[in-house]
Amino acid sequence: MWRDALLVAGKDIRIELRSRVALWQVLPFAVLVLVLFGFALGPGPRALRVAAPGLYWLAVLFSTVLATQRSMAIESGEGTRDGLRLSGIDPAGVFLGKAAAVAIQLVAVQVLLGAGIVVLFDVHVQTWWLALVASVLATVGLSAAGVLYGALSAGLRVRETLLPLLVLPIVAPVLISGSRAWSAAVSGAVASGASWLKILGPFAAVYLAVGVALYGPLQEVA
Amino acid sequence: MSARMRSVTRWIGAAAAVSTALTVWLGLWVTPPAEVQGTLARLLYLHPPIAWVALYCAFGVAALSSVLYLWHRTRSLFWDRLGASAVEVGVVFTALTLVTGSLWGRPTWGVWWTWTARLTSTALLLVLFLGYLALRRVPADPEVRARRCAVAALVAFVDVPIVTFSVDWWQTLHQRGTVLNPGLTLKVHGLMAWTMGLGFLAMTLVFVWMLLVRYRVEVLADRIGDGELEVSLSERWAEGSMPVIGDGAGAAGAGATAGVTALGTALDATLRQPAGGGR
């Protein structure tokens, strides 16, 4: 399973590196969202600084939807999915691999967004480890839930409109606890921030487990 | 659905109507107003039972039938239809939970809505299962749709424990469970407790009745879906075998009439041919 996951993740990342869709579409989109939030909340630095953690995670969520759609679009070519199934790769491996590829893209998005809120919104993070741990756990949860729902709506003609409706409510706990944890990391309130990791951690674990268990039946469908 | 099942459904419906009427009567006229909340507390004969049906009965049935559908030994469209019916009824009850809670919250807390964990996650649950219903509307092969929906219901169901435990996880101003608190000691007394108990019974009966009726509608809808093409095709054939223009030509000459009829037959033949070949 793990070897299969590595293979699939490697394939997806290689496709991304060659096609540069993530680089030229997802990353600029994330930055655009930040700039638009700036417009919406006005130029006053205080409002932006207070809202920054929430805006950061909202931008990450939107990027997750894009990255997931892209991850499924790779597989939508003529016979691609059948090829993947014929290759005898474990469905759980496919799930983990695709989730890992999405996660790597999300890490790139978050590095850029992190720099963005520091530069644009003048945010100073006090407790770096808290922000990092929260980000890692959230990324795992986001990519697992995203790929799971991406596979669910793959092959449907209405997937562009359906996917956000399905994914965004599911990942709302990540938005809540991610932004709380980041607020705590910015203000330096470590104890209260660390308690939010108790939601991010189980969220990631649950959706990884559900994905590993259910990706098989889903793949047969699509 | 057998005739026996239909009469069972009817009896459950009658029991649901009677127990709901009794709850309303006890709740509005017989029970005294509560000590602190006064007459407002009467809403609590309905709000917890509705929430119980939405969060536990409906989505419990949906999750269970999704698991049973996905497990290869018990795979049957019965579970798919039952699950879909449960979700649909559950969505209605979740919406009612939010509405009744909001009506109660306005005079009690002074606001229609508070961003507490429980309210927020119930609203999320509603959106989540609306997503399920949207997914279900997407036309697909019944088996494919069933499997897709079963997975979606299970993934969404994972959210239900978050709803339940959120009261304990996050400290908020929503009151903790009164009946289902950890010690399971009842904190409501006498007649009020009985009325609330009856409310639970009534709402559960309403749920079961709605579930059975909805299941039947699902079966009938599938049957129409299967039969529709056949019916339309045979109607089309019946149309085709009729003369294209009636015998209204009359005195204009038998030759003209014969010509028109011949045209009709020719048209009929061309219409039949491709479909006949395709069969």
Side-chain angles (χ1 to χ4, degrees), chain B residues 237 269-279:
Chain B
W237 295 142
T270 35
L271 265 176
R272 268 172 193 277
Q273 208 170 13
R279 283 222 161 186

Side-chain angles (χ1 to χ4, degrees), chain B:
Chain B
M1 202 183 266
S2 65
R4 193 164 150 227
M5 204 57 218
R6 278 208 294 275
S7 87
V8 168
T9 309
R10 217 167 290 140
W11 278 107
I12 291 178
V18 169
S19 52
T20 308
L22 259 179
T23 312
V24 170
W25 178 62
L26 282 176
L28 286 186
W29 284 285
V30 179
T31 49
E35 217 174 302
V36 184
Q37 300 191 355
T39 215
L40 259 182
R42 296 179 198 280
L43 201 56
L44 295 188
Y45 298 131
L46 271 185
H47 175 68
I50 290 175
W52 142 265
V53 165
L55 300 183
Y56 297 93
C57 296
F59 296 135
V61 170
L64 194 66
S65 29
S66 302
V67 170
L68 287 172
Y69 180 82
L70 286 177
W71 196 41
H72 58 97
R73 283 205 197 161
T74 46
R75 180 163 300 169
S76 134
L77 276 182
F78 167 78
W79 296 117
D80 170 56
R81 289 169 182 152
L82 189 70
S85 315
V87 169
E88 205 164 299
V89 178
V91 163
V92 172
F93 273 85
T94 311
L96 279 177
T97 307
L98 288 175
V99 169
T100 51
S102 187
L103 286 176
W104 181 81
R106 172 73 186 152
T108 315
W109 296 333
V111 282
W112 292 110
W113 183 263
T114 58
W115 288 96
T116 63
R118 195 156 207 175
L119 279 180
T120 317
S121 37
T122 309
L124 271 180
L125 198 67
L126 179 69
V127 184
L128 221 55
F129 281 99
L130 281 178
Y132 171 95
L133 291 182
L135 185 67
R136 204 169 170 80
R137 298 253 159 233
V138 178
D141 182 63
E143 297 279 338
V144 171
R145 184 180 70 167
R147 205 174 301 186
R148 212 175 254 153
C149 289
V151 173
L154 272 188
V155 177
F157 188 72
V158 176
D159 203 48
V160 176
I162 302 181
V163 174
T164 316
F165 293 116
S166 56
V167 178
D168 293 330
W169 285 357
W170 293 306
Q171 303 238 309
T172 61
L173 75 139
H174 194 289
Q175 59 176 228
R176 281 155 184 260
T178 308
V179 179
L180 282 174
N181 58 347
L184 272 182
T185 43
L186 274 169
K187 286 189 199 154
V188 195
H189 288 290
L191 187 60
M192 293 164 116
W194 282 105
T195 311
M196 200 162 163
L198 187 67
F200 272 94
L201 180 73
M203 285 305 117
T204 312
L205 282 171
V206 169
F207 164 70
V208 174
W209 177 71
M210 282 172 85
L211 186 66
L212 289 173
V213 172
R214 187 63 190 82
Y215 175 80
R216 188 150 170 256
V217 171
E218 192 81 7
V219 172
L220 293 176
D222 279 358
R223 203 178 292 165
I224 287 182
D226 291 341
E228 206 167 31
L229 186 65
E230 294 300 316
V231 172
S232 327
L233 274 178
S234 55
E235 274 172 7
R236 193 76 189 82
W237 295 142
E239 228 173 84
S241 59
M242 277 188 292
V244 173
I245 297 171
D247 41 23
T257 316
V260 169
T261 316
L263 183 67
T265 326
L267 257 178
D268 191 25
T270 35
L271 265 176
R272 268 172 193 277
Q273 208 170 13
R279 283 222 161 186

